Structure formats: structure tokens, C-alpha cells
Amino acid sequence: DYQHVQVPFEITLWIMLASLAKIGFHLYNRLPSVVPESCLLIFVGLIMGGIIYGLNDKSPPVMDSDIFFLYLLPPIVLDAGYFMPSRPFFENMGTILLYAVVGTIWNVFGIGFSLYGICQVKAFHLQDVSLLHNLLFGSLIAAVDPVAVLAVFEEIHVNEKLHILVFGESLLNDAVTVVLYKLFRSFCEMPTIKSVDVFAGVGKFFVVGLGGILVGLTFGMTAAFTTRFTKDIRVIEPLFVFLYSYLSYLTAEMFHLSGIVAIIACAMGMKRYVEANISLKSHTTVKYFMKMWSSVSETLIFIFLGVSTIGENHEWNWPYICFTVIFCLIWRALGVLVLTFFVNRCHVNTVTSKDQFIIAYGGLRGAICFSLVFLLPDIHRKKLFIAATTVVILFTVFVQGMTIRPLVDLLAVKRKRESAPTVGEQIHIRFLDHLLAGIEDISGHWGQYYWKDKLEYFNSKYLQKILLRENDQPKSSIVLLYEKLERKHAIELAEAGQLGHTPSHPSLLPFGFLCSNSNKTVITDKNLEDTLNPDVLENIQEILARNLYRIRRRGPAYNRHTLPGDTEPVEHAKELLILRHKNL
Amino acid sequence: VGPQGSSPPVPSLFPPLTVTSEQIEHLHRRFKQLSRDQLTIRKENFDSIPDLEFNPIRGKIVHAFFDKRNLRQESDGLVDEINFEDFLTIMSYFRPIEMNMDEEQLDRFRKEKLKFLFHMYDSDHDGKITVQEYRNVVEELLSGNPHLEKESARSIADGAMMEAASICAGQMGPDQVYEGITFEDFLKMWQGIDIETKMHVRFLNMETIAHCY
């Protein structure tokens, strides 16, 4: 009885296909390093589309814009917002906003006007495409797509600042895109356009952006507040994170505000409080579910992009298409150059020319443009726009996506610093923060650190009392990092101990040998990972601090010969304990 | 130059202080506010800044202003009062990076800033950061958290000290005991953090605030 299960069955089949394709790529080790995953997925989509077209002899199902905007996009943006490193994001906020807002507007008008210029040329038979239509097309093609950027940049590991600039821009330009797209679309339907309407459009931008942030923060705070009371029902804690974020997105879309900005504001706002309130297991659940969903969404989007390319939806007017691609590249490069010039003049954190090149080159377009072009009203040349959009997306994803990695290597762009986080670093950064806030107070200057300090104060005085559970006041990030590292050390030590230690009876804990010469407390917990309650942790810390540090002071002889230049404390602590145990 | 009448003398500092005269004007005005129109500032004058109260390391910051090592004086210890020239000297540690600096200047720039920080950590002026001093720093930093016991702060400091020791331990002889973090070790610890761009204050829009106090 196929009709009965058709819809869920087909959906599941598509998701299955997407996941199998992903497995397939990673089986060939060399492939993902040369070709980014997004390209491969589009390719698979193209093949699928071709098969469907061949079988049915009609156009394959085009990705429905509603499905894209309501189901496929939110998980990706939520994942991006939740795991966004907030410190670099806010430090570079000015630059990001400049690129997102001013840069996008520049691109839209640049592309729109130059394409209109092209349309005037008689030889291309394009004279019926009006300026407004060109601007409308410009507004949807100019925006950089977060999905495509994420897919490509995640694999090339550039330095944090560059990553956050490109990525932050791609997320925040949604507000501008939404406003301009809707504005031009409404202009298409209006007989005359007055300057009042234009000003209304500008005002609308602020409403859309700020309204999105407000909606997001409201839902974020509500989510944090709800998790305050979930102590007894830990199982559904992760659900609240997802529900509230999705609600914020839908609410924003309902009021024609920017859904992406809302969901990001929600995720970033609630993250701190929710993480303090929910249990460790819920936290892991949230993390993995988010990653899984966003991964599936991303895969589906690219496959559908490929599928939708095949078909009879296109009108191939090659001059227009080629010029679109060229203008996209030119205007983006110009925009980045001009804006960076201004940024470098008033900001100390300079953007180098290599960075600029990567920012300009990393302006990938993706599925958002694609869905927006299908949502266009049935104007005369819609198919032309669809064709141009498809070519631009394919060009940026394939050509730019594939060549960006060799270019990054060639230009020797600063890569991500792959080093383990240390407690010392956290201490220093925190110290520096307070120092700079203090100097700003003394010099009477209301700068970045001053406001950050004020926000922290407001947070600790009011917000934390309301949003966090009674007994669990939050720990400073230094303490959290220290505990995380201690846990890691303790687990590694336990494993090292188990290698050299033959337990006399199975219930003897891995920590038995560790406690034997210092104090006689036996930690009666079975599994270290499961139950690290505060008492156990305290004991561990005590023991480690006492033993390890004393070892350091007394026996530096081991260091010289057993360590190479820079090993972590874990390594030699492990060595020392094994050696000591052998001597016992 | 300014409405106050006497323009403050621009001290000849080494390396040359490239702060504009406008900024010096602003700082001079601020100095006058803090000192209540006297010529020098004492420690008590810093109490008049309300926002500084909530800063956990305020003791160390104020201390740094009076530290002779930061004021580039030959001797050691603390002065009782500082004049505007000294105030500017301290503020000059926080000037932003300039576009036309070459490698050597950049390196010296960085070392200067790190030396300032080192003096803040090393409270007994012996040129080394011992465990006790490090513990002191961590305790002060975490003093905002009432729920944290002293033990935890101590063990965190110990852990951090161990990390530092492991970075610098490679050069130790077999019988040497690790006493404390020297300035060279300190430089190594800060290698990952780009202090040149982080440790600066933009002295730009002080106009608005100077009127508020």
C-alpha cells in the first residue's frame, strides 16, 4: 500500500541517499581533500536529477522554497549560532557588520545597475528586463550564503579571525537580503514608487534587524529560564533548546523579520545559562543532535540543488549569465577592498591583503539564492534569472570551492592555531581583560572593555540570579577549563595506572594505587566518566595537585631525559607515576 | 594650547611616544580631574573612580602606576606620588600598534608590554614569578566568585604553574629546582596571544566622558 506511506517513505529515502553518499566520499581518503564535500553532493544531485529526468521525461521535483526555509535552513543556522565562538565574534563585530550591511548593499546596487547597463545593449535581446527587475535579481544574488561558506571553510581551517569575518558576514547579511528582496518585490507590484517608499525601506531594515535580535533574545531568555526548573526531568532538557530556537525562527519569519538573525541571537543568548543549568549528558545530547541535524540538512540541500538544476526551468541567455558571474566577482572584490580600507583606518586589528583576498574569494553563493529565485513572482524573464542563479551557484561552489584550498596554501594564509587550551592562557586572557577595563576606567575612556565589564556586571547581578538554578552559580571559565583538563588528566592517569597495575580483585578502583601512598581515602565510584560528583572531583584534584607538583619539585631529573622539548604535564606525570609504581 | 592655559610638557620618553597632542590634552584633563588640580596623584586619588571598585585586580593596577620599574627609574620599589609625566609613561604602555613599524620595533613594542604585565604578576620585585605570587594572582582573579573555595584557586594556580614549568623545563639541568617563571619564560608563555593588538586602549572619544564626572 504505497500511497499510504508515500510521503514519509520518500523523505526517508532521500535522507538515506544523502547519508550513504556522505559515507561513500569518506571511504576514498584522498577525495575530500581535493574536492570539497559540497561539490560532490551537488554532483550526486545532478546524477540523480538526470536519472529522474530520463525516467520520467519531465522535470524532477524542484526544491520547494517553503521546505528549504522552514525545515532545511534552521538546523544549520542553529548549529552555527550555538557553536559560534562568541569572543572573536564580538571583538570583530564592527567589521562584520560593516561587511554584512554596507558590503551587501554595495553588491546589490552594483550588480543591479551593471546588469541593467548590459541589458541596454541591443545585441543581447534583453531590453525588456527593467531596472527594477535587475535590482531584484541583484538583491537575491549578492548575498553570501552561510551554508556554502560553512561547508567550504570548515575544511580549510584558516585562522580564527578570518573565519569569523567571512562566516559572521554570511550570517548577518540575511537581514539586508530580506529587506531588499521584499522591498524590490513590492516595488514590482506597485505602479509608482515614491521617495517615501524608499525611506520606509531603509527604516524597515532597522526594524527587521533589531526586531530579529529582540525576538531571538526573548526566546533565548525564556529557554534559559525554563531550564532552571528541569532538574527532575533531565531527559527532555535537550528538547527545550531546539524547541525554543525553532520557535524564535518561526516567529521572526511570521512577522517578516530576519529569521536567521533571530535564531542566532537566541542561540548565543541562551547558551551560557542553559549550559550551566542542564546536565552533562543533556549537553552532549544537544551537541550531537545539532551536529547531526545540520549535517543532514546541509547534505540534502546540496543534493536538491543538483537535482533542481536539471530540467526545463531555464532560459539560457549566455551573455547575461556570463556577465552576472563576472559582475558578482568584480563587485565583491571591489566592495571588500573599499571597506577594508575604511576598516584598517579606524581599527587596530588590521585585515591584511591576504585576508582580503580570501574574504573576497570566499563569497560563495548557495541555496538561499536558489530558493529566493524560485519565490520570484511570475515576471516575464523568470527563467532567465533561474538559469543565471544556477550558473552562479555552480560556479562559486565548484570553481571557488575547489580552488580555495590550494590558494590558501599558496598564499600561506595564517592557519588555525592547533594547540590544546591551557589553564595558564585562560588566566592571562582574563587578567588582560580586567587590566584593560581598569585602564579604561582610569583614563575615563568608554571603550570595548568598559562595556564588556559593565555587561558582565549586569549579568552577574541580575541575569544570573533569575536564569540560573539556585545552587549552581556559574563557574568562571578558568575553573571550567581547569576542571575539564583535570578530568582528562585523571582519566589518562587512570588508564596509565591500569597498564602497570594488576588489580587483586575486580572491584579495586583504578585510583587505588594513586591513593596508596598519600592518603587512604578510597573513592567508591565505579565508572569515572559517569559519576564525577564534586566530592570525587575534589579528591582527585587534591591528590593530583599534591602528588604531581611535589614530584615536579623533587625529581626534575626525569624531565630532562624522558621528555622532548614540549610535552604536556600529562605525559610526564604519567611516566612518573608508572615509574614510581614500578618501584613500589 | 588648551583652555586650561599651560600646555603640559611632552616628556622625552624612550622609545619616543607617538601620541598626538590631542590625546595628551585629553589625558592631561583627566589627570587634573583625578588629582583635583594638584600636581601629583597619590594612591588615594584612584579611589574616586567608581567603576574601578568592581575590578578584581584593582589593587594590582593601582600598584602598577606607582611601581618604579614601570616608571623607568633605576631603583626598585614604589613611589608615593606620580606627576603627569609618570602618568603618561604608564599610559604609553597601552598605545596601539602603528602601521609602519618594522620587525625590530614590533619586537621591542611587544616586550615592553609584556614587561609591564610581568611586573604586575611579580609583586615582590625579585624578577621571578613564584608559585605563591601566581596563586595570589589567580585568587584575586577569581575573587568575584563567592562560591569558590580557596583550595580550588590554589590548585588551579598550581596546575597553571606546572604547565608553565613544562614549557620552560627543557632547558633545566638535572639538579636544578624550578623556582619561578623568569621573564624569558614569561615571553614564551605569551607567544600564542598577540599582545600587540590586544593590549591597547583607544584614546579617541574621551571628550564625552570627561564632562560626565
Side-chain angles (χ1 to χ4, degrees), chain A residues 10 30 125 261 288 316 386 452:
Chain A
E10 282 184 357
R30 272 197 55 218
H125 309 288
V261 174
Y288 278 105
W316 302 99
I386 294 178
K452 204 156 94 157

Side-chain angles (χ1 to χ4, degrees), chain B residues 43 58 101 114 155 182 192:
Chain B
K43 280 206 181 126
R58 85 181 278 280
M101 279 185 164
L114 286 174
S155 40
T182 62

Side-chain angles (χ1 to χ4, degrees), chain A residues 101 105 109 175-176 179-180 183 187 195-210:
Chain A
V101 176
I105 295 180
F109 283 103
V176 183
V179 169
L180 285 175
L183 196 70
F187 281 175
S195 53
V196 172
D197 299 322
V198 178
F199 283 122
V202 172
K204 211 161 171 234
F205 160 67
F206 286 105
V207 170
V208 163
L210 294 173

Side-chain angles (χ1 to χ4, degrees), chain A residues 428 442 445 482 549 553, chain B residues 30 121 131 155 178 189 202:
Chain A
H428 295 319
I442 292 175
H445 171 63
Y482 180 69
Y549 192 63
R553 288 224 118 192
Chain B
R30 181 64 177 162
Y121 277 75
V131 172
S155 40
Y178 194 70
M189 280 163 63
R202 265 175 275 167

Side-chain angles (χ1 to χ4, degrees), chain A residues 2-231:
Chain A
Y2 186 59
Q3 297 300 91
H4 187 58
V5 296
Q6 181 177 13
V7 173
F9 198 78
E10 282 184 357
I11 294 176
T12 317
L13 272 185
W14 277 111
I15 298 181
M16 181 75 85
L17 169 73
S19 317
L20 288 175
K22 251 187 137 115
I23 298 180
F25 305 146
H26 287 281
L27 282 180
Y28 298 104
N29 282 338
R30 272 197 55 218
L31 209 50
S33 58
V34 174
V35 185
E37 228 173 70
S38 39
C39 301
L40 293 170
L41 289 170
I42 296 188
F43 199 61
V44 169
L46 282 171
I47 297 177
M48 283 294 311
I51 294 175
I52 298 181
Y53 190 60
L55 288 178
N56 290 354
D57 203 30
K58 64 176 170 72
S59 303
V62 164
M63 177 162 63
D64 190 2
S65 297
D66 271 345
I67 296 182
F68 174 71
F69 279 114
L70 291 180
Y71 300 113
L72 292 179
L73 187 60
I76 300 177
V77 184
L78 176 60
D79 180 36
Y82 199 77
F83 293 108
M84 175 98 77
S86 48
R87 211 193 152 88
F89 185 65
F90 286 112
E91 271 178 15
N92 292 306
M93 181 60 104
T95 322
I96 293 178
L97 275 178
L98 195 68
Y99 282 137
V101 176
V102 179
T104 312
I105 295 180
W106 166 283
N107 276 335
V108 168
F109 283 103
I111 295 176
F113 279 112
S114 23
L115 280 176
Y116 182 60
I118 295 298
C119 290
Q120 301 304 90
V121 176
K122 286 201 169 56
F124 297 147
H125 309 288
L126 288 169
Q127 261 145 330
D128 54 336
V129 187
S130 68
L131 174 65
L132 200 55
H133 287 167
N134 274 312
L135 283 175
L136 181 57
F137 179 62
S139 74
L140 62 91
I141 199 90
V144 178
D145 186 77
V147 180
V149 165
L150 191 61
V152 167
F153 270 74
E154 225 171 34
E155 295 170 6
I156 59 180
H157 298 301
V158 289
N159 68 64
E160 200 177 49
K161 188 180 96 179
L162 187 54
H163 186 141
I164 205 82
L165 281 179
V166 184
F167 190 53
E169 181 204 340
S170 67
L171 283 175
L172 293 183
N173 65 19
D174 181 60
V176 183
T177 311
V178 162
V179 169
L180 285 175
Y181 180 76
K182 294 207 160 91
L183 196 70
F184 288 132
R185 215 166 95 171
S186 57
F187 281 175
C188 277
E189 284 147 27
M190 281 166 30
T192 51
I193 303 166
K194 302 180 276 272
S195 53
V196 172
D197 299 322
V198 178
F199 283 122
V202 172
K204 211 161 171 234
F205 160 67
F206 286 105
V207 170
V208 163
L210 294 173
I213 296 179
L214 216 66
V215 166
L217 282 178
T218 317
F219 276 100
M221 295 294 125
T222 322
F225 189 65
T226 316
T227 53
R228 184 179 169 177
F229 303 107
T230 56
K231 191 157 185 193

